[in-house]
Each structure stands twice: as C-alpha cells, then as structure tokens.
Amino acid sequence: EAGVAQSPRYKIIEKRQSVAFWCNPISGHATLYWYQQILGQGPKLLIQFQNNGVVDDSQLPKDRFSAERLKGVDSTLKIQPAKLEDSAVYLCASSLGAGVVGETQYFGPGTRLLVL
Amino acid sequence: DAKTTQPPSMDCAEGRAANLPCNHSTISGNEYVYWYRQIHSQGPQYIIHGLKNNETNEMASLIITEDRKSSTLILPHATLRDTAVYYCTLGYSTLTFGKGTMLLVSP
C-alpha cells in the first residue's frame, strides 16, 4: 500500500514570495491533515479536512495561508506572502475514517521550506 | 500547549529495553494515548495507541496507569534504528504534539 506522498521535498524561497505544497493521501482515506513543524518542536496542526470539507482550521494563519482539498482526495497548501518565520517542515497526514475516534494518522515525508 | 510531559532525552544500550515515560494528568475520559516517533528528516511514524488497557504490537508495548494520568512506552529490545524523537500525544481525531523525548540507542 502506497503511503502519503508529498511534493516538493525541499523548497527555498525569498520572503514575500508565494509557495505551494501538494499532498496525496493514502487511497481511500477520508481525513487529511496539514501540520507545521518548526525545528526542535513537535508538529502543530494547521488544518484538518474530512473529505473535501474543513473540520478544523483554528490554527491556520488565514491572512497568508490557504488550503484546499478538491474532490476529497489530494490537497494543496499555499503560503502567500511567505515570512521568515514560515521556515519549517510542512507535514501531511491522512486517516481512514471521517471523524472516527481513536484512528491512526499516517504521515508523509514532509516538505522542508526555507524562507530567506 | 501540549497536555503531555516527557523527559527531553534518554539513553539506552542496544539490546536492552527502553522505557519511555509520559505524564498526562489532565487527560479527558475519552482521549486516547498515542505514541509516534520521528527519525531524523522523516515524517512521524505511528507506534501504538490505547485508551485504558495495556496494548502490545510488533513494535512496542504501552502501559497505561489505572488512573490514566501517565503511561510508559516499552521497546523490549532497542536497536540502533530505534534512535528517534518519541512523542506521546493525546487525542480523539486530532493530535497535539509536545517536544517529545530524544531517545539515543548506543552500542
């Protein structure tokens, strides 16, 4: 079974530029998550989708970050414009059920972003 | 803020059992205890989770105290490849990660 796929793996941009990350979850997984992981810290949830609807985006900086999950499958996360403090690893995860308690999340390898 | 407390680092000799503690004194009645680990430059990897009872799988054992205020992850025979950051986290369908424990397994 293929895992969660993410691209690109690495990205270097200058501040005020825009950037987009792509995630393809495990086939059949209804729930998709985007996390931000700053160096030395644990992952922080940015947004959670169930199918193509947003369940939780309370920690998403909506003035610069946006995310979509068209057709309830793959997803893109965009930052526009980027700031220096956005330098981090952006992780995508998926789980099988929709709002099921006690489910396992499976993580992709992440996209490492460096903002100069 | 994370609702779990873990030691920042631990050492273990190869072949010995690694016992990683986690305090979660404010756990809610229906929150699961999850353990993930993250090897350098990779995404977090699921290890095990439980609600009330102790759990065991091919990777590890999870011991949850009767009052559910703490738990211990046990790697029965640690190998060098078990060197990683181990996260104890609580949740229903979303997870809140702390800084985890850096486990160093040495020869």
Side-chain angles (χ1 to χ4, degrees), chain B residues 49-87:
Chain B
H49 75 286
L51 184 61
K52 296 180 181 178
N53 299 321
N54 298 336
E55 303 286 346
T56 296
N57 63 20
E58 64 278 5
M59 289 182 67
S61 295
L62 173 60
I63 308 298
I64 302 174
T65 58
E66 192 169 344
D67 62 8
R68 301 211 324 124
K69 292 185 177 182
S70 65
S71 61
T72 301
L73 178 75
I74 301 173
L75 307 178
H77 304 287
T79 70
L80 299 180
R81 287 180 291 183
D82 292 322
T83 292
V85 177
Y86 287 76
Y87 295 102

mmCIF file of all heavy atoms in Angstrom, chain B residues 49-87:
data_model
loop_
_atom_site.group_PDB
_atom_site.id
_atom_site.type_symbol
_atom_site.label_atom_id
_atom_site.label_comp_id
_atom_site.label_asym_id
_atom_site.label_seq_id
_atom_site.Cartn_x
_atom_site.Cartn_y
_atom_site.Cartn_z
ATOM 1 N N HIS B 49 -1.320 2.910 20.213
ATOM 2 C CA HIS B 49 -2.208 3.770 20.979
ATOM 3 C C HIS B 49 -3.116 2.927 21.854
ATOM 4 O O HIS B 49 -3.294 1.710 21.621
ATOM 5 C CB HIS B 49 -3.012 4.714 20.073
ATOM 6 C CG HIS B 49 -4.143 4.070 19.320
ATOM 7 N ND1 HIS B 49 -3.938 3.249 18.226
ATOM 8 C CD2 HIS B 49 -5.488 4.148 19.488
ATOM 9 C CE1 HIS B 49 -5.102 2.873 17.747
ATOM 10 N NE2 HIS B 49 -6.065 3.386 18.490
ATOM 11 N N GLY B 50 -3.698 3.565 22.877
ATOM 12 C CA GLY B 50 -4.588 2.860 23.787
ATOM 13 C C GLY B 50 -5.482 3.823 24.523
ATOM 14 O O GLY B 50 -5.227 5.019 24.584
ATOM 15 N N LEU B 51 -6.535 3.283 25.103
ATOM 16 C CA LEU B 51 -7.488 4.090 25.853
ATOM 17 C C LEU B 51 -7.361 3.829 27.355
ATOM 18 O O LEU B 51 -7.107 4.739 28.129
ATOM 19 C CB LEU B 51 -8.908 3.787 25.385
ATOM 20 C CG LEU B 51 -10.021 4.624 26.006
ATOM 21 C CD1 LEU B 51 -9.834 6.110 25.692
ATOM 22 C CD2 LEU B 51 -11.382 4.154 25.531
ATOM 23 N N LYS B 52 -7.551 2.600 27.755
ATOM 24 C CA LYS B 52 -7.472 2.251 29.181
ATOM 25 C C LYS B 52 -6.582 1.037 29.420
ATOM 26 O O LYS B 52 -5.815 0.990 30.369
ATOM 27 C CB LYS B 52 -8.875 1.945 29.718
ATOM 28 C CG LYS B 52 -9.825 3.107 29.707
ATOM 29 C CD LYS B 52 -11.184 2.720 30.250
ATOM 30 C CE LYS B 52 -12.161 3.891 30.211
ATOM 31 N NZ LYS B 52 -13.510 3.508 30.710
ATOM 32 N N ASN B 53 -6.701 0.070 28.542
ATOM 33 C CA ASN B 53 -5.980 -1.176 28.747
ATOM 34 C C ASN B 53 -4.570 -1.089 28.183
ATOM 35 O O ASN B 53 -4.277 -0.281 27.313
ATOM 36 C CB ASN B 53 -6.716 -2.326 28.058
ATOM 37 C CG ASN B 53 -8.108 -2.518 28.615
ATOM 38 O OD1 ASN B 53 -8.323 -2.391 29.817
ATOM 39 N ND2 ASN B 53 -9.051 -2.800 27.733
ATOM 40 N N ASN B 54 -3.692 -1.937 28.694
ATOM 41 C CA ASN B 54 -2.357 -2.042 28.130
ATOM 42 C C ASN B 54 -2.460 -2.646 26.731
ATOM 43 O O ASN B 54 -3.337 -3.466 26.453
ATOM 44 C CB ASN B 54 -1.483 -2.915 29.032
ATOM 45 C CG ASN B 54 -1.322 -2.317 30.409
ATOM 46 O OD1 ASN B 54 -1.457 -1.104 30.612
ATOM 47 N ND2 ASN B 54 -1.047 -3.158 31.384
ATOM 48 N N GLU B 55 -1.574 -2.223 25.863
ATOM 49 C CA GLU B 55 -1.581 -2.679 24.490
ATOM 50 C C GLU B 55 -0.192 -3.139 24.078
ATOM 51 O O GLU B 55 0.806 -2.630 24.588
ATOM 52 C CB GLU B 55 -2.032 -1.553 23.544
ATOM 53 C CG GLU B 55 -3.389 -0.959 23.833
ATOM 54 C CD GLU B 55 -4.542 -1.881 23.444
ATOM 55 O OE1 GLU B 55 -4.306 -2.854 22.708
ATOM 56 O OE2 GLU B 55 -5.685 -1.619 23.892
ATOM 57 N N THR B 56 -0.159 -4.092 23.170
ATOM 58 C CA THR B 56 1.110 -4.588 22.633
ATOM 59 C C THR B 56 0.949 -4.839 21.146
ATOM 60 O O THR B 56 -0.085 -5.348 20.713
ATOM 61 C CB THR B 56 1.536 -5.887 23.336
ATOM 62 O OG1 THR B 56 1.789 -5.615 24.719
ATOM 63 C CG2 THR B 56 2.811 -6.454 22.723
ATOM 64 N N ASN B 57 1.960 -4.467 20.396
ATOM 65 C CA ASN B 57 2.015 -4.834 18.979
ATOM 66 C C ASN B 57 3.440 -5.246 18.643
ATOM 67 O O ASN B 57 4.268 -5.432 19.543
ATOM 68 C CB ASN B 57 1.487 -3.714 18.071
ATOM 69 C CG ASN B 57 2.304 -2.442 18.155
ATOM 70 O OD1 ASN B 57 3.463 -2.455 18.589
ATOM 71 N ND2 ASN B 57 1.693 -1.342 17.759
ATOM 72 N N GLU B 58 3.713 -5.388 17.366
ATOM 73 C CA GLU B 58 5.025 -5.904 16.963
ATOM 74 C C GLU B 58 6.149 -4.907 17.241
ATOM 75 O O GLU B 58 7.317 -5.287 17.230
ATOM 76 C CB GLU B 58 5.007 -6.275 15.483
ATOM 77 C CG GLU B 58 4.793 -5.116 14.535
ATOM 78 C CD GLU B 58 3.338 -4.740 14.370
ATOM 79 O OE1 GLU B 58 2.466 -5.325 15.070
ATOM 80 O OE2 GLU B 58 3.060 -3.849 13.532
ATOM 81 N N MET B 59 5.815 -3.676 17.475
ATOM 82 C CA MET B 59 6.846 -2.664 17.697
ATOM 83 C C MET B 59 7.104 -2.414 19.173
ATOM 84 O O MET B 59 8.247 -2.195 19.576
ATOM 85 C CB MET B 59 6.448 -1.335 17.050
ATOM 86 C CG MET B 59 6.484 -1.323 15.550
ATOM 87 S SD MET B 59 6.055 0.303 14.899
ATOM 88 C CE MET B 59 7.446 1.280 15.440
ATOM 89 N N ALA B 60 6.026 -2.378 19.978
ATOM 90 C CA ALA B 60 6.182 -1.899 21.353
ATOM 91 C C ALA B 60 5.005 -2.336 22.224
ATOM 92 O O ALA B 60 4.027 -2.894 21.729
ATOM 93 C CB ALA B 60 6.256 -0.373 21.339
ATOM 94 N N SER B 61 5.157 -2.031 23.511
ATOM 95 C CA SER B 61 4.061 -2.205 24.471
ATOM 96 C C SER B 61 3.741 -0.857 25.092
ATOM 97 O O SER B 61 4.632 -0.021 25.273
ATOM 98 C CB SER B 61 4.439 -3.199 25.566
ATOM 99 O OG SER B 61 4.619 -4.488 25.035
ATOM 100 N N LEU B 62 2.469 -0.661 25.405
ATOM 101 C CA LEU B 62 2.007 0.564 26.041
ATOM 102 C C LEU B 62 1.363 0.195 27.359
ATOM 103 O O LEU B 62 0.410 -0.596 27.377
ATOM 104 C CB LEU B 62 1.009 1.293 25.138
ATOM 105 C CG LEU B 62 0.293 2.510 25.724
ATOM 106 C CD1 LEU B 62 1.296 3.583 26.126
ATOM 107 C CD2 LEU B 62 -0.727 3.066 24.729
ATOM 108 N N ILE B 63 1.899 0.777 28.423
ATOM 109 C CA ILE B 63 1.354 0.547 29.755
ATOM 110 C C ILE B 63 0.705 1.842 30.220
ATOM 111 O O ILE B 63 1.383 2.876 30.297
ATOM 112 C CB ILE B 63 2.450 0.132 30.756
ATOM 113 C CG1 ILE B 63 3.264 -1.047 30.209
ATOM 114 C CG2 ILE B 63 1.829 -0.210 32.115
ATOM 115 C CD1 ILE B 63 2.464 -2.299 29.978
ATOM 116 N N ILE B 64 -0.589 1.810 30.504
ATOM 117 C CA ILE B 64 -1.329 2.985 30.969
ATOM 118 C C ILE B 64 -1.730 2.733 32.418
ATOM 119 O O ILE B 64 -2.289 1.676 32.738
ATOM 120 C CB ILE B 64 -2.583 3.235 30.107
ATOM 121 C CG1 ILE B 64 -2.192 3.418 28.641
ATOM 122 C CG2 ILE B 64 -3.341 4.468 30.600
ATOM 123 C CD1 ILE B 64 -3.371 3.522 27.690
ATOM 124 N N THR B 65 -1.433 3.691 33.301
ATOM 125 C CA THR B 65 -1.790 3.508 34.711
ATOM 126 C C THR B 65 -3.303 3.480 34.863
ATOM 127 O O THR B 65 -4.053 3.970 34.010
ATOM 128 C CB THR B 65 -1.206 4.632 35.562
ATOM 129 O OG1 THR B 65 -1.679 5.897 35.073
ATOM 130 C CG2 THR B 65 0.317 4.614 35.527
ATOM 131 N N GLU B 66 -3.733 2.938 35.987
ATOM 132 C CA GLU B 66 -5.168 2.748 36.201
ATOM 133 C C GLU B 66 -5.920 4.083 36.211
ATOM 134 O O GLU B 66 -7.041 4.170 35.716
ATOM 135 C CB GLU B 66 -5.404 2.008 37.513
ATOM 136 C CG GLU B 66 -6.830 1.519 37.689
ATOM 137 C CD GLU B 66 -6.974 0.570 38.872
ATOM 138 O OE1 GLU B 66 -5.941 0.066 39.357
ATOM 139 O OE2 GLU B 66 -8.113 0.350 39.300
ATOM 140 N N ASP B 67 -5.291 5.126 36.752
ATOM 141 C CA ASP B 67 -5.938 6.434 36.770
ATOM 142 C C ASP B 67 -5.753 7.188 35.454
ATOM 143 O O ASP B 67 -6.268 8.302 35.300
ATOM 144 C CB ASP B 67 -5.437 7.291 37.930
ATOM 145 C CG ASP B 67 -3.947 7.599 37.855
ATOM 146 O OD1 ASP B 67 -3.317 7.284 36.822
ATOM 147 O OD2 ASP B 67 -3.409 8.138 38.831
ATOM 148 N N ARG B 68 -5.033 6.608 34.523
ATOM 149 C CA ARG B 68 -4.794 7.146 33.165
ATOM 150 C C ARG B 68 -4.004 8.436 33.175
ATOM 151 O O ARG B 68 -3.939 9.118 32.159
ATOM 152 C CB ARG B 68 -6.112 7.344 32.416
ATOM 153 C CG ARG B 68 -6.919 6.094 32.257
ATOM 154 C CD ARG B 68 -7.771 6.002 31.022
ATOM 155 N NE ARG B 68 -8.363 7.239 30.583
ATOM 156 C CZ ARG B 68 -8.190 7.742 29.350
ATOM 157 N NH1 ARG B 68 -7.435 7.101 28.479
ATOM 158 N NH2 ARG B 68 -8.787 8.855 29.013
ATOM 159 N N LYS B 69 -3.355 8.768 34.270
ATOM 160 C CA LYS B 69 -2.616 10.022 34.326
ATOM 161 C C LYS B 69 -1.185 9.892 33.827
ATOM 162 O O LYS B 69 -0.471 10.898 33.713
ATOM 163 C CB LYS B 69 -2.635 10.573 35.754
ATOM 164 C CG LYS B 69 -4.021 11.016 36.195
ATOM 165 C CD LYS B 69 -3.997 11.656 37.562
ATOM 166 C CE LYS B 69 -5.400 12.159 37.935
ATOM 167 N NZ LYS B 69 -5.417 12.838 39.251
ATOM 168 N N SER B 70 -0.743 8.709 33.551
ATOM 169 C CA SER B 70 0.586 8.528 32.971
ATOM 170 C C SER B 70 0.633 7.223 32.185
ATOM 171 O O SER B 70 -0.232 6.356 32.344
ATOM 172 C CB SER B 70 1.671 8.531 34.050
ATOM 173 O OG SER B 70 1.526 7.416 34.903
ATOM 174 N N SER B 71 1.658 7.138 31.342
ATOM 175 C CA SER B 71 1.831 5.924 30.548
ATOM 176 C C SER B 71 3.318 5.706 30.284
ATOM 177 O O SER B 71 4.132 6.624 30.471
ATOM 178 C CB SER B 71 1.054 5.998 29.235
ATOM 179 O OG SER B 71 1.500 7.078 28.437
ATOM 180 N N THR B 72 3.663 4.507 29.868
ATOM 181 C CA THR B 72 5.029 4.159 29.530
ATOM 182 C C THR B 72 5.045 3.382 28.233
ATOM 183 O O THR B 72 4.276 2.427 28.069
ATOM 184 C CB THR B 72 5.683 3.304 30.628
ATOM 185 O OG1 THR B 72 5.665 4.026 31.863
ATOM 186 C CG2 THR B 72 7.122 2.951 30.270
ATOM 187 N N LEU B 73 5.882 3.806 27.331
ATOM 188 C CA LEU B 73 6.116 3.066 26.095
ATOM 189 C C LEU B 73 7.337 2.195 26.315
ATOM 190 O O LEU B 73 8.380 2.676 26.759
ATOM 191 C CB LEU B 73 6.352 4.015 24.932
ATOM 192 C CG LEU B 73 6.659 3.345 23.596
ATOM 193 C CD1 LEU B 73 5.380 2.752 22.998
ATOM 194 C CD2 LEU B 73 7.300 4.312 22.622
ATOM 195 N N ILE B 74 7.222 0.926 25.981
ATOM 196 C CA ILE B 74 8.329 -0.009 26.165
ATOM 197 C C ILE B 74 8.761 -0.578 24.823
ATOM 198 O O ILE B 74 7.951 -1.178 24.104
ATOM 199 C CB ILE B 74 7.933 -1.165 27.107
ATOM 200 C CG1 ILE B 74 7.509 -0.623 28.471
ATOM 201 C CG2 ILE B 74 9.092 -2.151 27.266
ATOM 202 C CD1 ILE B 74 6.941 -1.677 29.404
ATOM 203 N N LEU B 75 10.022 -0.345 24.484
ATOM 204 C CA LEU B 75 10.637 -1.005 23.334
ATOM 205 C C LEU B 75 11.436 -2.160 23.916
ATOM 206 O O LEU B 75 12.457 -1.933 24.577
ATOM 207 C CB LEU B 75 11.542 -0.048 22.569
ATOM 208 C CG LEU B 75 10.922 1.284 22.130
ATOM 209 C CD1 LEU B 75 11.965 2.141 21.419
ATOM 210 C CD2 LEU B 75 9.729 1.053 21.232
ATOM 211 N N PRO B 76 11.036 -3.399 23.723
ATOM 212 C CA PRO B 76 11.608 -4.502 24.501
ATOM 213 C C PRO B 76 13.089 -4.771 24.245
ATOM 214 O O PRO B 76 13.813 -5.134 25.175
ATOM 215 C CB PRO B 76 10.748 -5.696 24.104
ATOM 216 C CG PRO B 76 10.095 -5.317 22.833
ATOM 217 C CD PRO B 76 9.950 -3.832 22.841
ATOM 218 N N HIS B 77 13.526 -4.608 23.024
ATOM 219 C CA HIS B 77 14.933 -4.860 22.693
ATOM 220 C C HIS B 77 15.388 -3.760 21.731
ATOM 221 O O HIS B 77 15.289 -3.904 20.519
ATOM 222 C CB HIS B 77 15.113 -6.231 22.042
ATOM 223 C CG HIS B 77 14.581 -7.372 22.856
ATOM 224 N ND1 HIS B 77 15.215 -7.827 23.995
ATOM 225 C CD2 HIS B 77 13.460 -8.120 22.715
ATOM 226 C CE1 HIS B 77 14.502 -8.818 24.518
ATOM 227 N NE2 HIS B 77 13.433 -9.016 23.764
ATOM 228 N N ALA B 78 15.851 -2.657 22.289
ATOM 229 C CA ALA B 78 16.163 -1.489 21.463
ATOM 230 C C ALA B 78 17.324 -1.777 20.512
ATOM 231 O O ALA B 78 18.298 -2.448 20.872
ATOM 232 C CB ALA B 78 16.497 -0.300 22.354
ATOM 233 N N THR B 79 17.202 -1.254 19.308
ATOM 234 C CA THR B 79 18.279 -1.333 18.326
ATOM 235 C C THR B 79 18.717 0.080 17.954
ATOM 236 O O THR B 79 18.043 1.059 18.293
ATOM 237 C CB THR B 79 17.830 -2.069 17.048
ATOM 238 O OG1 THR B 79 16.896 -1.231 16.339
ATOM 239 C CG2 THR B 79 17.160 -3.396 17.383
ATOM 240 N N LEU B 80 19.822 0.176 17.235
ATOM 241 C CA LEU B 80 20.331 1.490 16.845
ATOM 242 C C LEU B 80 19.302 2.241 16.000
ATOM 243 O O LEU B 80 19.213 3.474 16.051
ATOM 244 C CB LEU B 80 21.642 1.338 16.073
ATOM 245 C CG LEU B 80 22.799 0.677 16.827
ATOM 246 C CD1 LEU B 80 24.033 0.597 15.929
ATOM 247 C CD2 LEU B 80 23.115 1.414 18.105
ATOM 248 N N ARG B 81 18.488 1.487 15.244
ATOM 249 C CA ARG B 81 17.486 2.120 14.388
ATOM 250 C C ARG B 81 16.307 2.686 15.165
ATOM 251 O O ARG B 81 15.444 3.352 14.574
ATOM 252 C CB ARG B 81 16.996 1.132 13.337
ATOM 253 C CG ARG B 81 18.007 0.859 12.246
ATOM 254 C CD ARG B 81 17.480 -0.116 11.223
ATOM 255 N NE ARG B 81 17.331 -1.461 11.763
ATOM 256 C CZ ARG B 81 16.946 -2.506 11.056
ATOM 257 N NH1 ARG B 81 16.639 -2.374 9.785
ATOM 258 N NH2 ARG B 81 16.845 -3.692 11.622
ATOM 259 N N ASP B 82 16.259 2.415 16.466
ATOM 260 C CA ASP B 82 15.210 2.996 17.299
ATOM 261 C C ASP B 82 15.577 4.396 17.786
ATOM 262 O O ASP B 82 14.769 5.040 18.470
ATOM 263 C CB ASP B 82 14.919 2.088 18.497
ATOM 264 C CG ASP B 82 14.269 0.777 18.091
ATOM 265 O OD1 ASP B 82 13.426 0.792 17.156
ATOM 266 O OD2 ASP B 82 14.594 -0.260 18.699
ATOM 267 N N THR B 83 16.768 4.862 17.478
ATOM 268 C CA THR B 83 17.150 6.230 17.819
ATOM 269 C C THR B 83 16.236 7.203 17.077
ATOM 270 O O THR B 83 16.178 7.197 15.846
ATOM 271 C CB THR B 83 18.619 6.493 17.456
ATOM 272 O OG1 THR B 83 19.462 5.725 18.320
ATOM 273 C CG2 THR B 83 18.963 7.968 17.603
ATOM 274 N N ALA B 84 15.509 8.016 17.844
ATOM 275 C CA ALA B 84 14.495 8.888 17.263
ATOM 276 C C ALA B 84 13.925 9.790 18.356
ATOM 277 O O ALA B 84 14.218 9.607 19.538
ATOM 278 C CB ALA B 84 13.359 8.070 16.635
ATOM 279 N N VAL B 85 13.079 10.736 17.954
ATOM 280 C CA VAL B 85 12.282 11.511 18.904
ATOM 281 C C VAL B 85 10.952 10.790 19.066
ATOM 282 O O VAL B 85 10.277 10.500 18.065
ATOM 283 C CB VAL B 85 12.065 12.952 18.428
ATOM 284 C CG1 VAL B 85 11.168 13.704 19.416
ATOM 285 C CG2 VAL B 85 13.402 13.671 18.279
ATOM 286 N N TYR B 86 10.572 10.521 20.298
ATOM 287 C CA TYR B 86 9.333 9.808 20.600
ATOM 288 C C TYR B 86 8.317 10.787 21.191
ATOM 289 O O TYR B 86 8.600 11.469 22.163
ATOM 290 C CB TYR B 86 9.589 8.659 21.571
ATOM 291 C CG TYR B 86 10.309 7.512 20.901
ATOM 292 C CD1 TYR B 86 11.675 7.591 20.626
ATOM 293 C CD2 TYR B 86 9.621 6.366 20.512
ATOM 294 C CE1 TYR B 86 12.333 6.557 19.978
ATOM 295 C CE2 TYR B 86 10.264 5.323 19.870
ATOM 296 C CZ TYR B 86 11.620 5.427 19.599
ATOM 297 O OH TYR B 86 12.264 4.396 18.951
ATOM 298 N N TYR B 87 7.147 10.833 20.562
ATOM 299 C CA TYR B 87 6.092 11.739 21.000
ATOM 300 C C TYR B 87 4.959 10.954 21.646
ATOM 301 O O TYR B 87 4.444 9.995 21.065
ATOM 302 C CB TYR B 87 5.510 12.512 19.816
ATOM 303 C CG TYR B 87 6.461 13.452 19.135
ATOM 304 C CD1 TYR B 87 7.076 13.110 17.936
ATOM 305 C CD2 TYR B 87 6.723 14.714 19.673
ATOM 306 C CE1 TYR B 87 7.942 13.985 17.299
ATOM 307 C CE2 TYR B 87 7.586 15.590 19.040
ATOM 308 C CZ TYR B 87 8.183 15.218 17.858
ATOM 309 O OH TYR B 87 9.030 16.102 17.233
#
